[in-house]
Amino acid sequence: LYKEYLTGFTYYKVSNLDNRIANPDQLLTQDVDKFAHSLAELYSNVSKPLLDIAIYSRKLAQNVGGLWAPG
């Protein structure tokens, strides 16, 4: 992402020729930080509960009997 931003005259054009965006490098850094934080939240909000359900179901099937119960 930064490679594309710093290639050619993109940085110069955004910083000096376009006054609509103030501090484009800071905004880019903040957006990347927000994206990484959201991606980390995705694990705890979606993946972990699904993993917990699968583990709980397996243990329940072993204790009570079911599809995953051994022999």
Side-chain angles (χ1 to χ4, degrees):
L1 190 59
Y2 283 105
K3 183 179 179 181
E4 290 180 25
Y5 177 63
L6 294 173
T7 343
F9 291 107
T10 307
Y11 175 76
Y12 174 77
K13 288 177 186 176
V14 171
S15 297
N16 297 320
L17 299 179
D18 193 355
N19 293 330
R20 293 177 294 176
I21 303 173
N23 299 326
D25 49 345
Q26 182 180 1
L27 294 175
L28 184 62
T29 302
Q30 288 174 348
D31 287 346
V32 169
D33 184 49
K34 288 178 187 176
F35 175 74
H37 183 70
S38 297
L39 198 59
E41 290 273 328
L42 184 66
Y43 168 73
S44 61
N45 291 334
V46 175
S47 302
K48 189 174 180 317
L50 292 175
L51 181 64
D52 290 343
I53 290 171
I55 292 171
Y56 179 76
S57 298
R58 181 177 172 98
K59 288 295 182 182
L60 184 63
Q62 286 176 347
N63 290 332
V64 177
L67 293 175
W68 292 332

